[in-house]
Amino acid sequence: MGKKVAIIGAGVSGLASIRSCLEEGLEPTFFEKSNDIGGLWKFSTFVSSVNKHPDFATTGQWDVTTERDGKKESAVFDAVMVCSGHHVYPNLPKKSFPGLNHFKGKCFHSRDYKEPGVFNGKRVLVVGLGNSGCDIATELSRTAEQVMISSRSGSWVMSRVWDNGYPWDMLLVTRFGTFLKNNLPTAISDWLYVKQMNARFKHENYGLMPLNGVLRKEPVFNDELPASILCGIVSVKPNVKEFTGTSAIFEDGTIFEGIDCVIFATGYSFAYPFLDESIIKSRNNEIILFKGVFPPLLEKSTIAVIGFVQSLGAAIPTVDLQSRWAAQVIKGTCTLPSMEDMMNDINEKMEKKRKWFGKSETIQTDYIVYMDELSSFIGAKPNIPWLFLTDPKLAMEVYFGPCSPYQFRLVGPGQWPGARNAILTQWDRSLKPMQTRVVGRLQKPCFFFHWLKLFAIPILLIAVFLVLT
């Protein structure tokens, strides 16, 4: 019988954790999050509290108290995996907007937005330029009389359809691209980043330009917003300075009159109401976790947080690797560094995060670098130099092509025999669904020419400079 693990959370993080525990011979038990958040299933068993067992320093066990139909029960578990994520409590910053208490129209968080029909002929202000805010604004623009987006700091807006119609992430989330970004001089790296973000349109012309454009904050993905602004059915305004009974006064002095509804797309906050604050510590609004997973100050590493990171990459492969690593640590086949080494790593990484993503984005991380760090712990990181020597065809696709999750199933625990073929044929599967009318062979991208085109201008300028000198 394997160790008993309590899985708290019903999303993809929880499902990935259950699978990883089963792969490692552990015995997972699934619970929903605390009932003040709201569960996915009506008859779920909710977690009320998670506390250290009296002999925790020796056994690393946890007392988990659950509740169902008003009845509470307690059980002892060898480990706990917290999978509630970071999109938990809606953030509604009413105190940040003077006069909002005098506003006579409707006011609610984007989580409560359901469908656009009820806003037919209405004048709507959307506060926030994130993915939710932009999706709501563009959808409302088809039914509402007027839609405005208020943004405090702006944002990069990217299209899901990238160069030559290929998916953006399959072209941009690559090992070679990450190598350039992390090793080129800062000035060149920043230039390259801004050029990529402005590839579709100049953000300055649309009022979307971020205040600090070189920060690697998560961009907004919306194919409709630029066209909606261009057609005048959506307008972008700066931060709201003050609300009146029926209007909003912006920081540039302009006024949006006759507002019927204000929708706050202002994100979410996170909390662990079932855990004592001493278990997962915070510091300057930063949760202290080694690699975003393990609290470093516990006597036993038998509690893991899954899904508490955000990166410019797919969430499911990320939580899959987190849970695979956590399951091996819980099982005892993988050990963590010393408490001192973990704290030094946390402090070092936090400094880099502030530099790359800004002070407010403490859970943001570099996707490929982070995935390589996690996979290194469990022996699942692909050895790129060795691949170039033994399997050049696969190596080219792994290094220059999309960093798909198959890469972390090539070697190590959880190795999948079909991973190599899946990597070599990933473009066939990605493009095949679009071939409902066949007019020729599938046109796969050539990554060499993609990067050559990107650097064509600077290469030409350097060549002219060398010739003239």
Side-chain angles (χ1 to χ4, degrees), residues 117-429:
V118 296
F119 296 92
N120 186 34
K122 304 294 185 181
R123 296 168 64 84
V124 183
L125 172 65
V126 179
V127 179
L129 192 63
N131 285 293
S132 297
C134 292
D135 286 345
I136 291 172
T138 52
E139 186 172 70
L140 286 179
S141 67
R142 306 185 189 104
T143 57
E145 176 186 324
Q146 189 170 3
V147 179
M148 283 193 179
I149 300 176
S150 170
S151 173
R152 179 178 58 186
S153 58
S155 180
W156 293 115
V157 178
M158 292 179 64
S159 172
R160 297 176 181 87
V161 182
W162 208 247
D163 290 352
N164 300 313
Y166 297 115
W168 75 270
D169 54 340
M170 294 188 74
L171 288 185
L172 296 186
V173 185
T174 68
R175 292 183 175 277
F176 180 64
T178 298
F179 170 79
L180 291 178
K181 179 184 67 175
N182 293 335
N183 291 278
L184 286 173
T186 302
I188 297 177
S189 177
D190 290 346
W191 169 84
L192 179 61
Y193 178 73
V194 173
K195 181 176 176 59
Q196 285 180 335
M197 295 298 104
N198 271 327
R200 186 181 174 201
F201 64 94
K202 296 294 183 182
H203 284 65
E204 298 94 325
N205 297 340
Y206 287 73
L208 299 170
M209 184 72 180
L211 293 180
N212 190 339
V214 298
L215 288 180
R216 269 60 166 181
K217 290 186 178 181
E218 184 182 22
V220 171
F221 290 92
N222 193 294
D223 295 83
E224 295 183 56
L225 183 62
S228 298
I229 296 173
L230 193 63
C231 296
I233 56 178
V234 173
S235 302
V236 180
K237 289 290 184 177
N239 195 38
V240 176
K241 179 181 179 181
E242 181 183 1
F243 280 98
T244 67
T246 59
S247 63
I249 304 172
F250 301 103
E251 290 182 345
D252 62 357
T254 58
I255 303 176
F256 184 19
E257 300 276 6
I259 302 175
D260 296 296
C261 182
V262 178
I263 302 175
F264 283 91
T266 43
Y268 295 80
S269 59
F270 51 84
Y272 303 104
F274 46 85
L275 285 174
D276 187 88
E277 291 183 357
S278 64
I279 297 173
I280 299 181
K281 294 182 178 293
S282 62
R283 176 187 62 187
N284 299 326
N285 200 34
E286 304 165 358
I287 298 296
I288 304 176
L289 295 171
F290 178 60
K291 304 300 182 185
V293 176
F294 287 101
L297 303 178
L298 296 177
E299 304 96 315
K300 297 287 184 178
S301 298
T302 54
I303 188 169
V305 180
I306 308 299
F308 194 69
V309 295
Q310 184 170 301
S311 65
L312 192 62
I316 295 178
T318 304
V319 299
D320 177 60
L321 264 181
Q322 286 183 326
S323 59
R324 287 167 65 189
W325 176 37
Q328 289 200 31
V329 171
I330 292 169
K331 184 179 179 181
T333 56
C334 180
T335 58
L336 297 180
S338 66
M339 185 182 300
E340 181 182 359
D341 288 342
M342 286 193 287
M343 285 303 303
N344 289 337
D345 182 84
I346 290 171
N347 293 329
E348 179 184 347
K349 290 294 191 301
M350 198 57 67
E351 286 299 318
K352 291 183 179 179
K353 286 182 179 181
R354 293 192 189 100
K355 176 183 177 181
W356 279 90
F357 309 116
K359 294 181 179 180
S360 62
E361 303 293 332
T362 56
I363 63 173
Q364 191 88 12
T365 189
D366 187 310
Y367 177 70
I368 294 180
V369 172
Y370 183 68
M371 295 288 278
D372 279 349
E373 287 179 342
L374 297 188
S375 58
S376 295
F377 285 112
I378 61 174
K381 178 184 176 182
N383 188 327
I384 306 300
W386 180 249
L387 276 182
F388 271 107
L389 291 174
T390 59
D391 196 341
K393 183 179 180 180
L394 177 62
M396 289 292 290
E397 192 67 30
V398 167
Y399 191 67
F400 292 99
C403 185
S404 52
Y406 307 123
Q407 294 190 11
F408 305 102
R409 293 286 180 175
L410 285 169
V411 296
Q415 179 181 357
W416 177 44
R420 180 184 186 277
N421 183 64
I423 293 172
L424 295 178
T425 58
Q426 57 192 350
W427 278 105
D428 297 303
R429 291 188 304 283

Side-chain angles (χ1 to χ4, degrees), residues 32-35 46-50 64-68 71-72 273-275:
E32 249 285 31
K33 297 168 285 189
S34 56
N35 56 11
F46 297 96
V47 173
S48 299
S49 64
V50 176
V64 178
T65 303
T66 58
E67 180 180 348
R68 181 169 181 171
K71 298 179 180 179
K72 289 189 176 183
F274 46 85
L275 285 174

